[in-house]
Each structure stands twice: as C-alpha cells, then as structure tokens.
Amino acid sequence: MSATLLANLSRTTDPQTMLRRFLALDAVVTTTNGLVYVAASGPVGRLLGVGSGLLFGLGVFLVVFGAGVGYLASRREPATLPVKAVIEANLAWAVAGLVALALWFSPTTAGTFWIPMQAATVAGFAALQHLALRARG
C-alpha cells in the first residue's frame, strides 16, 4: 500500500496520528460489535447460526479488547509493543474465525457471509495498523 493511499485513508500524513486513528476505528468497531453480541446474543446467534452462549462470551471479550484498543488509541504516542499485540490479536481473530467457519460452525446464509466479512475487516485493521506503525518508524 502506498504512503499516499495510507495518508488518504487516515486523512493525515503524520504517522503518529495515522496509527492512533486506525486504532480508534478498530476500537469503535470492535466494541460496538461486542456490545451487539452481548445485548442480543440470542437473536444474533439465531441469525448467524452460532450458539448464543458462545456469542455472548465473544461479545464480552470484544468489549474488553475494544476498550483496551481505545485506551491505546487515546495515548499521544502508543507504545510499540502493545500496538504489535493488537495487530497480532487481530490477525489471530481473523484466522480463528475462518478456521471455525470451515471446521466447526454450521452457520446460516447470513453467518456464512458475516464471518468472512468480519475476518476481512479485522485483518484490514491489522494491515493498516502495521503499515502506520512501520511509517512511524
């Protein structure tokens, strides 16, 4: 990805601001997703074909993880090691979702669409965060 495209996506050329914005976006999406899973685990579970207990547990995890990413995004200069941990966690989440889809879940049509889309979104966050971290130096 070119530096120009990265700057356009983040609406800044400052790598520090770029990183914080990508972390903040990740935090908002992750926390919102988690809150939906917690608040509506039954209906969403039925829609996706995923057990409501599992969805509730994942939702709690996502809320806590999203809050941590949000805290990291709020730092003037997010520390490199925690940012790398977020990137690795995002990649692990994306892979785990696809593996679970292939080997474990028997999702509905909506779930068959949602799970890979969620994996792609999370992998996209990881890629943007990695590039911004690398640009920061």
Side-chain angles (χ1 to χ4, degrees):
M1 182 176 288
S2 75
T4 303
L5 180 57
L6 196 60
N8 286 339
L9 287 172
S10 63
R11 304 180 62 104
T12 184
T13 56
D14 175 46
Q16 191 67 34
T17 304
M18 215 180 276
L19 178 60
R20 293 179 64 223
R21 286 183 180 171
F22 292 140
L23 288 168
L25 179 61
D26 185 357
V28 168
V29 170
T30 299
T31 303
T32 300
N33 195 30
L35 289 171
V36 169
Y37 286 178
V38 167
S41 59
V44 173
R46 286 188 295 280
L47 175 68
L48 301 178
V50 177
S52 62
L54 174 63
L55 214 53
F56 182 84
L58 291 174
V60 170
F61 170 78
L62 290 174
V63 169
V64 172
F65 182 77
V69 175
Y71 175 78
L72 190 57
S74 74
R75 305 293 78 195
R76 204 171 73 111
E77 293 185 27
T80 300
L81 189 58
V83 172
K84 285 182 178 180
V86 167
I87 293 166
E88 290 173 10
N90 280 340
L91 291 173
W93 178 270
V95 169
L98 295 176
V99 168
L101 178 63
L103 301 177
W104 185 29
F105 293 148
S106 298
T108 62
T109 301
T112 301
F113 173 78
W114 176 253
I115 294 167
M117 289 304 297
Q118 184 180 45
T121 300
V122 173
F125 286 147
L128 291 171
Q129 292 158 356
H130 170 74
L131 291 170
L133 184 62
R134 208 169 69 176
R136 184 176 80 166

